[in-house]
Amino acid sequence: MKPIGNVHEVRAKLLMRGWRSLSAWAAAHGYLPGTVRRAVYDWGPRAERPWGGINRQIIADLRKTLAEDAEREVA
């Protein structure tokens, strides 16, 4: 798996895709902002699969959001 990036990189990617902030993304997806920040801080720069269900789900949802938005930009 390819890393999604550190907290600053993920924030920048979301900002470029129209999300106001990481917290706004978290709220829209039903997560607590602090939990999302921590998951990205711990697991964003890593290539391995996150431990724990909530971390795994957050990173998977972020990957999905970033991939969907990237596909839309190409089309």
Side-chain angles (χ1 to χ4, degrees):
M1 245 187 253
K2 185 178 175 190
I4 60 172
N6 64 35
V7 174
H8 301 293
E9 292 168 344
V10 171
R11 283 181 182 159
K13 289 175 186 178
L14 288 173
L15 232 148
M16 289 189 307
R17 287 163 172 82
W19 290 97
R20 188 171 39 102
S21 64
L22 190 59
S23 295
W25 181 91
H29 288 82
Y31 298 116
L32 294 174
T35 306
V36 171
R37 278 191 299 274
R38 190 67 207 191
V40 172
Y41 178 82
D42 289 341
W43 295 101
R46 297 182 182 187
E48 62 198 75
R49 186 173 184 213
W51 300 344
I54 192 70
N55 289 324
R56 200 170 333 179
Q57 189 62 46
I58 289 168
I59 297 300
D61 285 349
L62 269 170
R63 284 184 195 284
K64 184 177 176 184
T65 297
L66 296 174
E68 286 173 356
D69 290 344
E71 288 174 7
R72 234 181 309 181
E73 289 173 4
V74 173

